[in-house]
Amino acid sequence: DTSFDCVQFVITEEGIWKGWIDCSGYKVRLSYHKGNKEMPKKKKKYAHPNEITLVYEIHDIETSGSAEHYWMDVKTADIVEKDNWVSGASYQVFALPKESPYDGARTIEINPADSTASPFGWHDTNGEDGAEYTDTRGNNCLAQEDADANQSGGDRPNGGNNLEFGFSLDLNNSPDQYRDAAIANLFYWNNILHDILYLYGFDEASGNFQENNYGRGGKS
């Protein structure tokens, strides 16, 4: 198909996604193959603030080491969201919709910040590309321990320059033995709440909680 600029083949455990991709506009045509037989595409639901859209989930693995992750509208073929699984922050947490360890194991969530609610990620404060903090601080939240209950100071886990917040967790130990994992989970959930509420209207003009409003109204 000469109207598309790129061809990608993505091998998974179940088969091969074969996609013709317009690199400039992210329009995608896909067929899913297992062996020589074309299989039905697998669909998922993607939540917008006011609707749920049926999408295809696409993994675009490149030889350069990039790993783009797309959600494509089934009806229009528009890309409704994308992120990169290689670059950006990652958090090993009990992720949404889990409410507690009883709901399942932790997963590694990569770049979970919403691009509208937190356009520069969760570790930014100056409104420019690049994180200002490599620990559990950012524009929406500061998460740290307060074992002495003085509302001051306290340790924060550090994800390093790659913002990798994956810490050991054994719930059979005392809580002080998995403090970093607990604080990383707290940081994740406070930011998730900020981003979801933002999409439902609790934004800067409505008085939400941010250090920098990025020029979008309200009071910092």
Side-chain angles (χ1 to χ4, degrees), residues 5 16 22 27 98-99 101 108 121 169 177 194-195 208 212 214:
D5 300 326
I16 299 176
D22 177 352
K27 302 291 185 181
K98 296 185 182 78
E99 296 181 1
I108 297 176
L169 173 66
Q177 298 299 305
H194 167 274
D195 287 3
N208 72 346
N212 187 335
Y214 301 138

Side-chain angles (χ1 to χ4, degrees), residues 135-191:
D135 57 14
T136 48
R137 286 181 288 176
N139 200 45
N140 313 323
C141 170
L142 185 157
Q144 63 188 33
E145 63 87 10
D146 187 25
D148 54 10
N150 66 356
Q151 302 293 317
S152 177
D155 293 330
R156 294 181 294 270
N158 199 304
N161 291 333
N162 292 328
L163 300 177
E164 296 175 347
F165 294 87
F167 304 102
S168 61
L169 173 66
D170 185 345
L171 295 175
N172 293 313
N173 292 333
S174 61
D176 62 345
Q177 298 299 305
Y178 52 82
R179 182 175 289 161
D180 284 353
I183 295 172
N185 200 75
L186 178 66
F187 181 80
Y188 164 85
W189 270 102
N190 274 275
N191 278 287

Side-chain angles (χ1 to χ4, degrees), residues 71-83:
W71 290 269
M72 183 187 74
D73 190 302
V74 168
K75 293 182 179 179
T76 66
D78 290 332
I79 297 299
V80 297
E81 184 66 87
K82 71 169 185 170
D83 58 31

